[in-house]
Amino acid sequence: FTGKATMRKFVIGNPQGYKTEYAFNLDNLVVNVEMTTIFSKKLVFDEIRIEGAQVIYELGLGTSNLGEIQNNIAKAAAADKTAESKHEEPGKKPKEGRKIQIDHFYFNDAKVSMSAVALEGAKASIPIPNIHLEGIGKEEKGTSVGEAADEMFSSIYKSVGDVAGSGVNAVKGVGEDAWEKTKGLFK
């Protein structure tokens, strides 16, 4: 009844075809809902806090596990909008799904491990800078769950991409070791 929920050790798996054990392993997920908005048209979250996430960024052929997850979230958000517009009746206002607002989103103390499908799950870890987003859906009507998820995941994906770009040398060493091991297979 306080509006606060906590989950520990929450795991988000990989899309099909990736070799690492997961995409995200969250130590702690805290969601704090403003209880006075439970029955209103716009549900307000005071905060969503993800702490101690272990992220595995696995490069595939032309994409990555996180890129595929990002695309799936974006497709779901677009499908929400399409579904809302399909239920419109001529001359009537479109029926909208319940909207949300997230005052604070935190993604703290996370690390990314980078890998590639060709490396068969080998990886190297690098810390991710903390992320803090404010006012998601703050406008009067709010935003859809899909759009909010897309905004939060996009910030994580961008941060992971920035870290991955600067940490190529960490994976390069892992890759060279894997390459040396596989060269012998083709003799």
Side-chain angles (χ1 to χ4, degrees):
F1 296 108
T2 65
K4 188 172 186 174
T6 301
M7 285 198 294
R8 298 188 195 293
K9 300 297 180 192
F10 182 72
V11 176
I12 299 172
N14 271 321
Q16 190 172 1
Y18 290 90
K19 306 281 188 214
T20 54
E21 54 273 25
Y22 55 81
F24 291 88
N25 185 345
L26 314 177
D27 276 350
N28 198 27
L29 170 63
V30 178
V31 177
N32 196 357
V33 177
E34 177 60 50
M35 291 302 288
T36 60
T37 65
I38 282 288
F39 299 109
S40 66
K41 289 184 179 183
K42 180 170 73 169
L43 181 62
V44 176
F45 294 87
D46 293 326
E47 79 171 1
I48 296 176
R49 180 181 298 272
I50 298 172
E51 297 171 328
Q54 300 293 319
V55 180
I56 299 178
Y57 180 62
E58 183 176 351
L59 297 172
L61 299 174
T63 188
S64 68
N65 60 339
L66 301 185
E68 286 192 34
I69 292 170
Q70 172 68 34
N71 289 338
N72 290 338
I73 291 171
K75 285 178 190 174
D80 284 348
K81 277 192 165 190
T82 302
E84 281 181 13
S85 66
K86 280 186 179 179
H87 294 292
E88 292 178 23
E89 292 180 30
K92 289 189 174 183
K93 282 187 173 181
K95 186 176 181 181
E96 294 183 1
R98 188 162 190 200
K99 301 295 183 177
I100 66 169
Q101 173 181 317
I102 302 168
D103 291 337
H104 297 278
F105 170 71
Y106 299 95
F107 190 77
N108 296 337
D109 303 322
K111 290 184 180 169
V112 61
S113 296
M114 297 181 301
S115 183
V117 171
L119 298 178
E120 296 292 320
K123 53 193 174 290
S125 292
I126 301 170
I128 301 171
N130 290 342
I131 297 169
H132 178 210
L133 302 178
E134 292 182 272
I136 298 171
K138 188 105 177 159
E139 62 276 358
E140 185 180 328
K141 291 184 179 182
T143 189
S144 73
V145 171
E147 290 168 330
D150 191 31
E151 186 173 340
M152 291 182 293
F153 192 82
S154 290
S155 69
I156 294 168
Y157 186 54
K158 181 187 179 318
S159 186
V160 167
D162 291 346
V163 168
S166 66
V168 168
N169 289 333
V171 175
K172 185 179 175 191
V174 173
E176 288 170 355
D177 183 46
W179 174 247
E180 288 302 319
K181 289 177 182 174
T182 59
K183 278 197 315 193
L185 298 174
F186 299 104
K187 287 183 180 178

